[in-house]
Amino acid sequence: MDAPDPSPAVRDGVHTPRRHDSAEKHVAGSALYADDVAEAPGTLHGAFGLATIARGRVTALDLAPVHAAPGVVAVLTADDVPGLNDTGPVVHDEVFLAASEATQSGEVNFHGQPLFLVAAETRHAARRAARLARVKYAEEPPILTVDEAMAAGSRVAEPYRMARPDAQGRDADAAIAAAPRRLAGRLAIGGQEHFYLEGQVALATPGEDADLHILTSNQHPSECQLVVAHVLGLPAHAITVEVRRMGGGFGGKETQGNQTAAAAALIAHRTRRPAKVRLDRDDDMVTTGKRHDFVIDWEAGFDDTGGLHGIRFTQMARCGWSLDLSNAICDRAMFHADNCYHLPAVEIVSHRLRTNTASATAFRGFGGPQGMVGIERVMDEIAFALGRDPLEVRRANFYDPPGRPRGRSTTPYHMEVEDCVIAEIVDDLAARAGYEGRRAEIREANAASPIIKRGIALTPVKFGISFTTTFLNQAGALVHTYQDGSVMLNHGGTEMGQGLFVKVAQVAASELGLDLERVKITATRTDKVPNTSATAASSGSDMNGMAVKDACGKLKARLASFAARHWVVAEHAIDFLPGAIRAGGEVVAWETLIREAYLARVPLSATGFYATPKIHWDRVNARGRPFYYFAYGAAVTEAAIDTLTGESRILRADILHDVGRSLNPAIDLGQIEGGYVQGVGWLTSEELWWDGSGRLRTHAPSTYKIPACSDRPRVLNMALWEKGMNRELTIRRSKAVGEPPLMLAISALHALSDAVAAAGDYRAYPALDAPATPERILAAVERVRHG
């Protein structure tokens, strides 16, 4: 292993807890979001007219009442789109405005699909007018569920398969058949609404010629730039997209923000007036995508120790009406069907199913959580069948630890796991949390408690870090140094509350030997750093930190060369100190160095670039190295249920997570806590429900239950794993922390399952699906008691 990178001793450099750069602004209400920016005189407001059926055709479209409504300036349909009437991020299958006023036609694919767009003098006028359209449909029966889509052969993409034989050359079928024991099952995993605090919003301002500036809440400014350019039939250089911060994203603004941006841009382009589109919360939830629902069938062969011999998964995902990012998401679910476990002979088949629901999209974990829930169910059910502690079975199947090969390190996609520290983390956490003693105490207490039953579970996490679409693993940066020595920093990452900006600024300050206050963080803009990737896949700090490091390295090299000439010393005699340099025997303040360099016409601006090394992926043969490294963690959750009502509560959680050498421990701990709680919400209370006509009924805070403050465990013990160190050459040997903590919440689902099993005196396996709502818990209690 290479030695760790040196860390300059500057105040608030890397590896130092530092509060979020916008923390005070958030508390004071002075942080500017897209909707807070002062509107220019004449700004128009947009609203969509939405379909009221889930599947069918428009047969008549009367927009006269909309045109005549007070304050309306324009009503736009597919006829008014000058370029491509599509906002699909990967393929062109996502119609922007579905209806044509000229032909009185249009195809409807889900309830809430935008048919047309209204521009009015006020937002309320636009929203009121959009509901005045008279639309007639030829309605068809919608396809809404996984089972319906499978039966109809309704797909957004062809099925995909990964497989690997065991050491004896047996495929999954043969290994399962030859195993001493076999089990099979099915589980259902619900979707999840992003419920970002700031909804979808964009403000478009026309400039000279056909130029447009778009201020938006968007995780992928470069993609937004291209989508808008295509819709308007313009070159990308005519569109500048800016993102200062988002009030949450969680993947819901990776592609889904493009439609809102395109709507504002179309209005501004047609009217040459500034235009804003901000979705109402109900419209936001109805029209935008969610986490993919999954149904997973599995069959496993194993021995009396719980060791797997062979396993087969069939993953069926509800993808909604268009492809969006479903291929990559479903691929990642397959990549994480192993979690931390070596699967000796394995087959994974994925079905990507088209339904008449809003197109499912990216959500924190990007398919990984669904894949992990599948294998954790298998581990739990095997343990129950054997009468063993589930942790024993999990330990029996872990990948080999570094330096101790047993031939158990190859993933189903033929990547070698070289950094598996999960056994050590799990042992450490089990001891800290007193897992074994508490498990025994809970079982004893349950025997004496007829109504309230408690459960406990420890589950691990292994999450691959990199975009599985290889070309996205690149980042750029721009670093300016001004005459007074202050520094302005720009990069392609976006800030959605996760602390990316302060982390990358800490990298810049540390590289240049400056206090953090000397570094200014600026909004992400496509005219500063072009062709950037989405802030997603947990790679924001990894990639943008390295790009900034590259830019700072170029600046330092120029400054060192200049200083050697100016102070007449050998270049190797130039040392960078905190806030200064040493040139031979003389210490020169940073400000003096920059002033002298400027006078000598030394360039004080540099671009940086980073491309993640080592990764490659052969999709045809389903083999390669899609991930640069893995992030690990584990959680113990204790929960209780009321067997009369099905209500539940998370009582305690103990978490130990590996972030390598943390760039900012305070930010990382916040991400771990937030990720865990968000994951608990997904697996316990957040239920999406469409009625038989395809209308989303859980479309507001009144009908959709995200975790509240009181749902946080009463006892929450979190720690960063002290031994953490990335074996790969990442920025200061840190590891990504955005997505992996969400999957720590799988322990909560299994703690609830353990509590349900107690209600039947551990005689029957609960087979508890997610989300584990009170209704599902109560039904599971009835099953384990009465069969």
Side-chain angles (χ1 to χ4, degrees):
M1 187 192 306
D2 295 332
D5 295 332
S7 180
V10 297
R11 186 164 61 89
D12 294 321
V14 291
H15 313 311
T16 304
R18 175 77 184 203
R19 63 178 174 263
H20 194 288
D21 56 284
S22 297
E24 291 97 336
K25 299 183 184 74
H26 290 153
V27 173
S30 60
L32 288 179
Y33 294 87
D35 196 41
D36 298 321
V37 173
E39 297 169 7
T43 297
L44 295 174
H45 296 263
F48 288 116
L50 306 179
T52 57
I53 66 168
R55 184 186 183 191
R57 300 182 314 280
V58 173
T59 58
L61 179 65
D62 181 4
L63 296 180
V66 185
H67 285 281
V72 171
V73 174
V75 182
L76 307 173
T77 69
D79 310 320
D80 302 296
V81 178
L84 186 66
N85 186 32
D86 194 285
T87 55
V90 179
V91 299
H92 299 311
D93 68 340
E94 196 164 314
V95 176
F96 172 39
L97 297 176
S100 163
E101 188 174 17
T103 63
Q104 301 279 295
S105 65
E107 183 179 356
V108 177
N109 291 283
F110 74 99
H111 192 290
Q113 182 172 3
L115 299 179
F116 60 90
L117 178 63
V118 180
E121 298 290 352
T122 68
R123 181 169 175 269
H124 291 298
R127 294 191 67 227
R128 283 195 296 267
R131 284 152 175 79
L132 299 177
R134 293 192 282 260
V135 188
K136 293 182 179 179
Y137 304 96
E139 192 169 359
E140 300 173 35
I143 296 172
L144 300 175
T145 68
V146 163
D147 288 341
E148 289 171 354
M150 286 292 288
S154 178
R155 306 176 187 279
V156 296
E158 290 304 306
Y160 187 51
R161 177 178 179 270
M162 292 180 188
R164 198 202 66 248
D166 63 14
Q168 288 76 45
R170 297 178 301 184
D171 64 13
D173 285 343
I176 293 169
R181 291 174 175 262
R182 289 181 294 280
L183 277 176
R186 164 174 279 211
L187 69 152
I189 308 164
Q192 187 177 20
E193 160 64 33
H194 300 86
F195 218 97
Y196 24 66
L197 290 179
E198 177 198 28
Q200 302 284 2
V201 59
L203 172 65
T205 305
E208 291 185 341
D209 303 319
D211 292 356
L212 279 174
H213 174 274
I214 301 174
L215 181 65
T216 178
S217 188
N218 198 296
Q219 293 175 233
H220 198 172
S222 288
E223 180 181 83
C224 181
Q225 175 191 33
L226 290 174
V227 167
V228 170
H230 291 157
V231 167
L232 300 183
L234 296 172
H237 65 59
I239 310 298
T240 297
V241 174
E242 178 178 351
V243 180
R244 173 56 185 95
R245 59 172 61 84
M246 286 167 274
F250 311 117
K253 296 175 181 176
E254 184 172 348
T255 62
Q256 301 279 297
N258 296 338
Q259 186 174 68
T260 306
L266 179 60
I267 294 171
H269 182 72
R270 288 297 299 257
T271 65
R272 306 312 296 167
R273 291 171 62 175
K276 178 189 283 188
V277 175
R278 174 169 62 85
L279 298 187
D280 172 84
R281 176 65 70 179
D282 293 76
D283 289 348
D284 193 322
M285 292 182 72
V286 166
T287 61
T288 63
K290 324 297 179 194
R291 185 189 294 280
H292 290 64
D293 298 51
F294 269 61
V295 173
I296 300 176
D297 290 334
W298 59 270
E299 185 178 8
F302 55 99
D303 57 36
D304 289 340
T305 70
L308 283 169
H309 288 211
I311 191 166
R312 183 193 308 110
F313 287 108
T314 302
Q315 299 179 342
M316 294 162 279
R318 175 162 63 176
C319 299
W321 75 282
S322 65
L323 181 63
D324 195 79
L325 299 174
S326 289
N327 268 339
I329 290 164
C330 292
D331 284 0
R332 188 174 278 266
M334 300 172 78
F335 288 133
H336 289 81
D338 60 338
N339 195 12
C340 297
Y341 312 111
H342 179 251
L343 311 181
V346 56
E347 180 185 56
I348 309 164
V349 177
S350 170
H351 297 273
R352 294 97 196 266
L353 302 170
R354 186 189 304 277
T355 54
N356 295 113
T357 52
S359 188
T361 192
F363 200 126
R364 197 174 192 173
F366 205 76
Q370 294 95 315
M372 286 190 195
V373 169
I375 187 62
E376 292 303 331
R377 165 65 74 83
V378 173
M379 292 292 148
D380 213 50
E381 199 152 349
I382 288 174
F384 194 90
L386 295 172
R388 290 178 175 269
D389 181 342
L391 184 54
E392 288 182 49
V393 174
R394 291 183 166 99
R395 281 174 165 144
N397 289 285
F398 282 158
Y399 279 111
D400 291 342
R404 285 182 279 169
R406 296 174 294 165
R408 298 158 51 91
S409 61
T410 307
T411 67
Y413 43 94
H414 301 270
M415 176 178 171
E416 293 301 306
V417 180
E418 302 165 345
D419 60 357
C420 189
V421 293
I422 194 61
E424 194 172 356
I425 290 174
V426 164
D427 289 347
D428 193 347
L429 175 64
R432 295 187 193 203
Y435 169 79
E436 291 183 5
R438 287 169 57 199
R439 185 170 186 269
E441 182 275 323
I442 286 169
R443 293 211 159 198
E444 184 177 341
N446 283 338
S449 176
I451 306 300
I452 304 300
K453 300 293 185 181
R454 290 155 56 202
I456 191 170
L458 189 161
T459 60
V461 168
K462 173 180 74 57
F463 190 78
I465 305 299
S466 291
F467 286 96
T468 55
T469 303
T470 305
F471 70 82
L472 293 175
N473 293 284
Q474 58 177 301
L478 177 64
V479 178
H480 294 321
T481 305
Y482 294 102
Q483 295 178 49
D484 64 353
S486 63
V487 174
M488 180 173 281
L489 170 65
N490 195 268
H491 55 81
T494 56
E495 176 61 55
M496 60 192 93
Q498 83 279 36
L500 172 63
F501 274 23
V502 70
K503 280 187 171 184
V504 177
Q506 284 178 276
V507 170
S510 188
E511 290 293 321
L512 297 174
L514 302 175
D515 289 342
L516 189 57
E517 284 71 20
R518 303 293 298 274
V519 179
K520 174 70 173 179
I521 305 167
T522 59
T524 308
R525 289 179 57 115
T526 55
D527 59 353
K528 286 187 176 181
V529 179
N531 306 321
T532 57
S533 297
T535 304
S538 301
S539 297
S541 296
D542 281 7
M543 297 201 307
N544 293 290
M546 290 295 271
V548 165
K549 180 182 178 182
D550 181 52
C552 291
K554 293 174 182 176
L555 279 173
K556 289 170 68 176
R558 286 182 207 152
L559 292 170
S561 179
F562 160 72
R565 297 192 307 272
H566 188 75
W567 280 279
V568 195
V569 296
E571 193 164 331
H572 64 76
I574 302 296
D575 293 322
F576 281 83
L577 308 174
I581 64 164
R582 180 182 292 110
E586 184 177 354
V587 174
V588 180
W590 171 260
E591 296 84 350
T592 302
L593 170 66
I594 297 303
R595 184 174 63 251
E596 294 297 326
Y598 166 73
L599 295 173
R601 299 182 295 177
V602 174
L604 297 176
S605 178
T607 60
F609 183 78
Y610 176 73
T612 308
K614 295 187 177 183
I615 54 175
H616 57 91
W617 179 242
D618 177 356
R619 196 169 192 278
V620 173
N621 295 301
R623 61 191 304 149
R625 178 173 177 158
F627 305 118
Y628 189 28
Y629 64 89
F630 294 100
Y632 297 91
V636 176
T637 298
E638 182 180 339
I641 65 168
D642 184 327
T643 59
L644 297 180
T645 65
E647 292 180 274
S648 67
R649 181 174 293 279
I650 306 300
L651 303 177
R652 173 177 167 179
D654 296 81
I655 295 170
L656 187 59
H657 200 72
D658 175 21
V659 298
R661 294 189 67 210
S662 174
L663 293 175
N664 185 322
I667 294 289
D668 287 349
L669 284 169
Q671 285 291 285
I672 292 167
E673 179 176 5
Y676 174 83
V677 172
Q678 188 174 50
V680 168
W682 167 51
L683 293 169
T684 63
S685 67
E686 297 184 41
E687 184 175 32
L688 294 165
W689 189 75
W690 285 264
D691 65 19
S693 69
R695 182 177 176 183
L696 180 67
R697 293 296 187 171
T698 49
H699 57 81
S702 58
T703 51
Y704 186 82
K705 175 67 171 66
I706 65 170
C709 294
S710 59
D711 294 313
R712 181 185 185 274
R714 293 171 179 173
V715 178
L716 179 55
N717 302 313
M718 298 185 301
L720 305 181
W721 192 46
E722 296 88 346
K723 297 180 181 179
M725 170 73 75
N726 202 328
R727 295 167 62 89
E728 300 297 342
L729 189 58
T730 55
I731 187 68
R732 300 301 175 91
R733 302 292 182 176
S734 63
K735 284 189 175 184
V737 71
E739 292 171 297
L742 183 135
M743 284 144 278
L744 298 168
I746 296 172
S747 60
L749 179 64
H750 287 286
L752 290 170
S753 178
D754 188 44
V756 172
D761 297 323
Y762 305 101
R763 294 188 304 267
Y765 187 73
L768 183 63
D769 288 336
T773 58
E775 295 86 351
R776 283 200 178 92
I777 289 174
L778 195 58
V781 167
E782 290 300 306
R783 283 197 304 273
V784 299
R785 282 180 170 172
H786 307 298

